[in-house]
Amino acid sequence: MNVEVKERVLGELEKIVGNENVTASRPDLYNYSQDMTENESAWPDFVVMPDGVEEVQEVLRLANREKIAVIPYTYGDNVGGLTIPLKGGIILDLKRMNRMIEFNEEDRYIVVEPGFNFGDLRRLFREKYPDLWYSFAGAPATTSLASNALLNGFGRLTNIVGTNADNVNGIEVVLPTGEVVKIGSCSVTSSWCNRPPLPDLIGLFLGWQGTTGVVTKISLQIWPRYPFKQTRVIVITGIRPACTLAHKLGQTRICEIVECWSYEQAEPDENTIKSFQSEEERQLRVYNPDEDNNSATYDRPPGPDKLGLVLKVAADSEDELKAKQALLDAYIKMELKDMPFEELPKSLGPPEEEDLPATGQTPMGGLTWVGTMGPTSRWGEALEKIYPIYDKYRLRRAAIIVPFRGGHYGMLRLVAQFYKGNPDEVSRVKKCMQEIMNVALDHGFVPYKAPYWAVQEMMRRGDPNWVELLVRVKRMLDPNNIMNPGRYGDIRGKSLRVE
Amino acid sequence: MDVPDVVKEWNIRCAQCGDCRISAAIFLPSCPPGTRFKFSSYYATGRMLIGRGIQEGVLTLEDDDVLERLYTCTVCRSCDENCTNLIGGHIVDVIESLRQMAVSAGCTLPAHQIMIESLKKNDNVLERPKEERGAWSEGLNLKNLSEDGIDVAFRAGCLLSLEPEIRGPALAALKLLRTAGVDVGIEGKDEACCGGRAYEIGQVAEFTKYAEHNIDAYNNAGVSKVVLCCADGLSHLKLLYPKLNIKMNFEVLHLVEYLDRLIQEGNIKFTREVPMKVTYHDPCHLGRYAGIYDAPRNILHRIPGIELVEMERRREHSWCCGAGGGVKQAYSEFSLWTAEERIKEAKGTGATALVTSCPWCERNFKEAIKEHGEDIEVYDIAEIAAQAVQ
């Protein structure tokens, strides 16, 4: 963008949102040029913080007229490089739009603006609605409810309610051309209560990574918070038995949460094991890895894989809890038969009521993943192919699998932490993630919060008619391709600039 | 570890997750500049990234706004408190190291340049003549540290010595110490700045000069304890001075710590009623820096008539007063905005008075109250405690 245009656009943006809420200064732009992942940085030209639908409309109309890219942004913690402005343009930082529009206790939904975050909702529950809950992700408290839902994020009620995208009742969206549209029951009534039975236009905005419009209000479903809860952690040796048990338990719907995590820590040697004073100490040492914080490079010693299954049972009464635990025990016994497993003491498990933030512990500065969703029956088969890829790139095997909606589908997430100060490690992580994504796709798992290179790969290998439909939808809504270009529906790819 | 190493070691590890922006346990904003200005560069994560950009040569200290982003941080350490990544307070270490790099490169803010010139000329950062320093203690008949055998040095610090409107806490502290029978003396006009504010704005050479002078003065005086009412001074003497590896033959205590000890030992009793509903503000340098949360509350609970009602952001989650890190001098409006946020929170408790234990907090609160026409009193804890003794 030449200096003259930039100055003119800056002046117009200042008129729309006020001087204080627009910036083109280098330290600000640099801040929005990257995220925690290994994805390459790209600088925006402006960062703009609107407050209200009208300001969003004005910014989009200006961007359309000038054909400048616009990237909707809330807190930037998506772990997919999704707000890195591949073609420069305007970062539309929506933090100031953080109001709660409605909390409907009777019909159990909440309508919020995109800046309203998990912390805001946790606070609201604590102060006013102790019997209600949301499917909170294991993410920082600043995570936007709207972004999390729109990007198919999931939370800790997922085995019951699915991803948070499954629980969107309605949205208000500003189209790239500036019109405001309401979708869901709110489009024909005054209620934000439901999404069916209308033709489901919400699909034009869910999972599109901000490439089709800017969502300015969202209605999301709220769930009961059960008074009796118990969390157990079972460590199973072997990929197949662990994945099969997670798959089967997901289908039973006994647990609110079924999460299966890799434990990638070499067993201590025999002498060290003898030195442990108690079984609990042994488990503490084995399952709380004391890792090197300067390097994620890891040469895996030979040996079986260990996977930990986190199982949370929730109930309305103590009797119900006991009955569910008994059922859970029976299932575990039936599925694992003579397979080796051990149950960790309570002190090593997660807290009963998870406190945010639950993640963010990335002491090397780098965190990335290939997050995918697909058939829970194929977890084991896929993981057996994926784990050797970690070994090839000398990285620690790390996977999380989670069933959604009673196991009808589920997540397979392959994670890598890395030290950002080591270019060789960053390069290996990048190659490893790309290879893993291909194997995941081969096994029926589709990337979510997919970085641009994963989107391109899906559009390359996907049904051409599906790709054509994506492109047509995108062009219909965004004729000048201003919304987060280089991602879904943009077949011109990263190299083509919006001019 | 030298300055570039500190920056390199820690800023690369910030994952920009955003945990530092909200007090984890209560889900309320914790970072004053981030909350006020909202762009990412105003949060700890943003400053860490600026450090990375400078390290990688993508940004320079001379770039527009880089200094402004680095110096709008009040170094309150709420980011360090909430960060789950860089355990041990490394975020503010990086920010202060970046400020040191800026000073080395000749990049300073005009307001801070004035502070440093004042420090060099007057031994204080407040642009007050050196000669005024001892005026606060005139007529009090206090021992001077030049006399032999004094056990405890009371250190007034720049603000209490030189700002007539904020002298109350120093006078109250001395009343309390004398009531408890403490053999206390002062340096009076010879007292010099602790150098802490210079450290916070990146002027390490000035800091070192004053730290060495003060350690030497207290060692030579042979005191067993140095007691301060100033939370900033406390943390600088207690936490920064030891980094110089010069033997300190004295214990450094904030008045609230010492008073709590004196009460427990039975050396002082609160007998007079002070009927007041108060809320207590934890100064960052006393709380998050030095970990002193219980002592001031113990004192307040022992004063007859005091009803203590807590704010939600308290103890390690306390919201900063806005005066620290050179922000008060360079960005006064933002500094007062930060104080006003706290005053609103204090008023929300129903308290009629906001009590603190640092003159920097007290002054900023009082100025914000004046600016915004608020109706709440502000006291130093020493002033309240002094009312309760005969």
Side-chain angles (χ1 to χ4, degrees):
Chain A
M1 190 178 295
N2 71 45
V3 178
E4 198 182 311
V5 174
K6 195 163 181 174
E7 278 181 10
R8 181 166 46 79
V9 171
L10 182 63
E12 292 197 45
L13 288 169
E14 284 173 348
K15 275 185 208 154
I16 297 169
V17 296
N19 294 3
E20 208 182 36
N21 299 308
V22 57
T23 178
S25 89
R26 286 179 62 76
D28 293 334
L29 302 181
Y30 181 66
N31 256 277
Y32 290 84
S33 72
Q34 56 194 296
D35 64 10
M36 66 177 80
T37 67
E38 82 291 3
N39 289 286
E40 286 165 27
S41 64
W43 289 51
D45 297 291
F46 312 96
V47 182
V48 178
M49 285 197 287
D51 188 13
V53 180
E54 293 77 14
E55 289 185 5
V56 173
Q57 287 179 280
E58 285 300 304
V59 172
L60 289 185
R61 284 183 188 129
L62 169 65
N64 237 311
R65 199 167 62 239
E66 299 287 345
K67 298 186 175 52
I68 299 170
V70 176
I71 295 89
Y73 180 103
T74 47
Y75 294 92
D77 54 353
N78 58 74
V79 201
L82 305 184
T83 57
I84 294 174
L86 300 176
K87 297 174 184 178
I90 299 167
I91 294 277
L92 198 66
D93 186 333
L94 299 161
K95 270 191 215 74
R96 291 175 70 212
M97 295 174 64
N98 62 353
R99 287 165 280 254
M100 180 177 74
I101 309 299
E102 183 186 354
F103 191 95
N104 194 315
E105 190 179 7
E106 285 292 301
D107 294 317
R108 291 194 173 172
Y109 67 83
I110 184 171
V111 183
V112 294
E113 292 185 330
F116 191 90
N117 62 39
F118 282 165
D120 296 328
L121 187 55
R122 279 291 295 268
R123 205 175 150 70
L124 183 72
F125 284 150
R126 193 170 59 197
E127 285 176 356
K128 291 187 178 169
Y129 307 105
D131 299 330
L132 294 177
W133 202 236
Y134 186 72
S135 190
F136 288 107
T142 49
T143 303
S144 154
L145 257 77
S147 299
N148 170 266
L150 292 168
L151 294 170
N152 296 101
F154 72 97
R156 295 283 158 71
L157 300 177
T158 195
N159 194 41
I160 309 299
V161 306
T163 74
N164 286 328
D166 292 327
N167 301 295
V168 176
N169 290 335
I171 56 173
E172 175 192 84
V173 60
V174 182
L175 299 181
T177 40
E179 302 90 340
V180 181
V181 182
K182 282 183 182 168
I183 300 173
S185 58
C186 60
S187 60
V188 289
T189 73
S190 60
S191 165
W192 287 80
C193 180
N194 48 304
R195 185 161 150 189
L198 297 164
D200 194 359
L201 294 178
I202 284 181
L204 294 173
F205 303 94
L206 284 180
W208 278 83
Q209 304 183 345
T211 60
T212 50
V214 179
V215 171
T216 46
K217 290 184 187 70
I218 190 164
S219 169
L220 294 158
Q221 293 166 4
I222 299 297
W223 301 92
R225 182 185 202 175
Y226 293 103
F228 296 89
K229 292 194 176 193
Q230 195 172 355
T231 304
R232 298 166 67 175
V233 183
I234 293 165
V235 180
I236 301 161
T237 302
I239 295 172
R240 289 285 176 147
C243 289
T244 304
L245 181 60
H247 162 67
K248 297 276 187 190
L249 284 178
Q251 291 179 334
T252 66
R253 293 168 66 97
I254 298 169
C255 301
E256 266 188 343
I257 298 171
V258 178
E259 281 186 5
C260 186
W261 297 69
S262 297
Y263 277 109
E264 186 57 17
Q265 176 77 347
E267 282 277 2
D269 60 40
E270 216 168 288
N271 285 337
T272 312
I273 290 174
K274 276 181 196 161
S275 74
F276 295 143
Q277 300 295 310
S278 65
E279 173 60 12
E280 192 159 338
E281 190 190 342
R282 182 190 72 78
Q283 290 176 321
L284 188 72
R285 297 278 288 275
V286 173
Y287 298 113
N288 273 346
D290 180 18
E291 292 170 5
D292 177 2
N293 281 343
N294 284 316
S295 169
T297 300
Y298 179 74
D299 293 307
R300 186 178 190 274
D305 287 282
K306 285 198 169 185
L307 292 95
L309 223 58
V310 179
L311 307 166
K312 185 173 277 187
V313 175
D316 276 316
S317 68
E318 215 163 335
D319 286 345
E320 186 190 348
L321 191 70
K322 275 184 193 161
K324 281 184 167 175
Q325 289 290 11
L327 207 51
L328 190 56
D329 281 332
Y331 266 102
I332 292 169
K333 207 171 171 186
M334 185 173 75
E335 286 303 324
L336 291 181
K337 295 188 182 78
D338 300 325
M339 298 283 179
F341 77 93
E342 58 182 318
E343 185 151 0
L344 296 191
K346 224 174 160 49
S347 58
L348 281 172
E352 291 299 327
E353 197 65 89
E354 185 181 300
D355 282 322
L356 295 169
T359 58
Q361 285 160 355
T362 50
M364 289 180 282
L367 171 68
T368 191
W369 64 54
V370 173
T372 67
M373 295 179 191
T376 59
S377 64
R378 297 186 72 183
W379 275 331
E381 177 193 340
L383 263 190
E384 282 176 352
K385 295 269 171 47
I386 286 167
Y387 272 166
I389 301 173
Y390 280 105
D391 302 345
K392 179 178 149 188
Y393 289 101
R394 303 180 63 214
L395 296 165
R396 204 176 284 270
R397 296 178 174 189
I400 309 168
I401 61 176
V402 183
F404 295 160
R405 292 176 76 86
H408 277 105
Y409 66 121
M411 185 190 76
L412 171 63
R413 179 192 286 170
L414 298 315
V415 184
Q417 287 205 22
F418 56 98
Y419 181 52
K420 276 200 164 180
N422 180 345
D424 169 62
E425 200 162 279
V426 176
S427 162
R428 277 186 281 122
V429 165
K430 200 177 278 187
K431 287 177 193 160
C432 179
M433 290 294 107
Q434 290 182 354
E435 215 165 297
I436 284 174
M437 190 204 62
N438 281 316
V439 175
L441 276 168
D442 292 343
H443 287 79
F445 291 91
V446 180
Y448 75 105
K449 298 184 186 174
Y452 76 89
W453 50 267
V455 170
Q456 285 179 346
E457 176 60 18
M458 282 188 282
M459 287 171 64
R460 189 190 65 76
R461 64 155 81 186
D463 172 1
N465 288 336
W466 170 74
V467 176
E468 176 57 24
L469 184 59
L470 281 180
V471 172
R472 279 163 64 182
V473 169
K474 166 80 170 161
R475 279 190 187 146
M476 173 192 69
L477 292 168
D478 183 14
N480 290 317
N481 192 25
I482 61 164
M483 293 305 307
N484 209 358
R487 303 181 193 276
Y488 279 113
D490 182 1
I491 51 169
R492 291 173 295 182
K494 189 190 173 218
S495 60
L496 191 74
R497 290 193 65 83
V498 176
E499 298 293 354
Chain B
M1 202 183 284
D2 66 18
V3 168
D5 285 342
V6 170
V7 175
K8 190 177 176 189
E9 167 68 13
W10 296 111
N11 72 16
I12 201 82
R13 295 180 184 282
C14 172
Q16 300 159 61
C17 65
D19 283 354
C20 56
R21 298 175 179 190
I22 287 181
S23 290
I26 53 176
F27 310 115
L28 279 174
S30 58
C31 170
T35 307
R36 170 68 184 82
F37 300 110
K38 293 192 170 56
F39 289 117
S40 292
S41 54
Y42 284 98
Y43 287 102
T45 50
R47 295 190 174 92
M48 297 295 271
L49 254 188
I50 288 171
R52 196 183 298 175
I54 291 169
Q55 195 80 27
E56 291 172 356
V58 182
L59 295 175
T60 70
L61 288 159
E62 290 81 14
D63 278 336
D64 281 352
D65 299 332
V66 163
L67 284 192
E68 197 259 1
R69 301 302 187 266
L70 294 181
Y71 280 103
T72 40
C73 170
T74 59
V75 297
C76 76
R77 285 206 186 276
S78 68
C79 50
D80 281 318
E81 187 66 43
N82 291 303
C83 177
T84 52
N85 248 3
L86 313 178
I87 310 297
H90 300 295
I91 299 173
V92 168
D93 288 350
V94 169
I95 293 167
E96 288 177 342
S97 296
L98 287 166
R99 292 175 174 190
Q100 290 170 31
M101 286 169 69
V103 169
S104 299
C107 301
T108 53
L109 297 174
H112 290 169
Q113 200 54 45
I114 293 169
M115 285 166 67
I116 291 303
E117 278 159 21
S118 170
L119 189 60
K120 286 176 179 170
K121 185 178 165 195
N122 305 309
D123 284 343
N124 67 72
V125 294
L126 303 171
E127 298 177 74
R128 292 297 172 88
K130 195 175 185 170
E131 299 72 42
E132 289 181 11
R133 186 138 202 147
W136 72 274
S137 58
E138 279 171 15
L140 293 180
N141 198 23
L142 288 163
K143 286 185 183 175
N144 192 282
L145 286 197
S146 57
E147 296 172 36
D148 285 340
I150 293 170
D151 184 34
V152 174
F154 175 73
R155 182 178 167 76
C158 295
L159 211 48
L160 293 178
S161 299
L162 293 159
E163 288 284 358
E165 286 180 23
I166 314 283
R167 268 181 200 164
L171 303 178
L174 283 162
K175 179 183 175 187
L176 291 162
L177 293 174
R178 285 164 139 185
T179 304
V182 174
D183 179 24
V184 62
I186 60 165
E187 283 184 283
K189 64 179 175 46
D190 296 326
E191 190 184 274
C193 178
C194 67
R197 199 62 87 217
Y199 182 89
E200 289 174 352
I201 63 173
Q203 302 274 359
V204 178
E206 288 303 313
F207 160 73
T208 306
K209 188 173 86 185
Y210 283 95
E212 287 172 352
H213 166 85
N214 287 323
I215 293 172
D216 204 33
Y218 293 124
N219 278 344
N220 288 341
V223 294
S224 71
K225 297 176 193 69
V226 175
V227 176
L228 308 91
C229 282
C230 174
D232 281 34
L234 178 275
S235 88
H236 300 141
L237 264 70
K238 194 168 188 161
L239 306 173
L240 278 181
Y241 282 15
K243 290 184 179 176
L244 296 176
N245 290 321
I246 303 171
K247 190 164 169 46
M248 294 164 66
N249 298 325
F250 50 91
E251 186 184 9
V252 179
L253 292 164
H254 191 279
L255 179 76
V256 292
E257 286 178 283
Y258 194 35
L259 204 52
D260 193 31
R261 194 188 286 180
L262 292 169
I263 293 165
Q264 284 176 31
E265 289 168 354
N267 292 317
I268 190 164
K269 281 197 172 71
F270 299 132
T271 51
R272 291 173 64 178
E273 192 157 321
V274 185
M276 203 183 283
K277 187 174 180 179
V278 304
T279 190
Y280 177 73
H281 166 78
D282 292 278
C284 306
H285 282 270
L286 191 66
R288 280 187 289 267
Y289 276 72
I292 299 167
Y293 299 110
D294 291 333
R297 290 174 172 79
N298 293 343
I299 293 166
L300 288 170
H301 283 307
R302 282 173 187 268
I303 297 173
I306 287 286
E307 183 191 350
L308 175 63
V309 282
E310 294 275 16
M311 288 180 274
E312 196 167 0
R313 288 183 287 192
R314 61 181 177 269
R315 300 176 70 94
E316 56 269 67
H317 302 300
S318 179
W319 175 261
C320 176
C321 77
V327 167
K328 177 72 184 164
Q329 292 80 1
Y331 303 104
S332 181
E333 196 183 324
F334 160 57
S335 175
L336 290 177
W337 175 88
T338 306
E340 172 65 7
E341 288 293 295
R342 190 59 162 166
I343 288 159
K344 283 192 268 184
E345 190 176 354
K347 284 177 69 179
T349 64
T352 55
L354 173 58
V355 178
T356 187
S357 39
C358 180
W360 291 89
C361 303
E362 184 182 346
R363 184 177 73 159
N364 216 33
F365 288 143
K366 282 181 170 169
E367 285 184 16
I369 285 169
K370 205 170 166 186
E371 176 93 3
H372 296 275
E374 300 283 4
D375 55 345
I376 187 167
E377 299 293 324
V378 180
Y379 296 102
D380 188 279
I381 192 166
E383 295 171 294
I384 303 282
Q387 286 181 50
V389 295
Q390 291 292 345

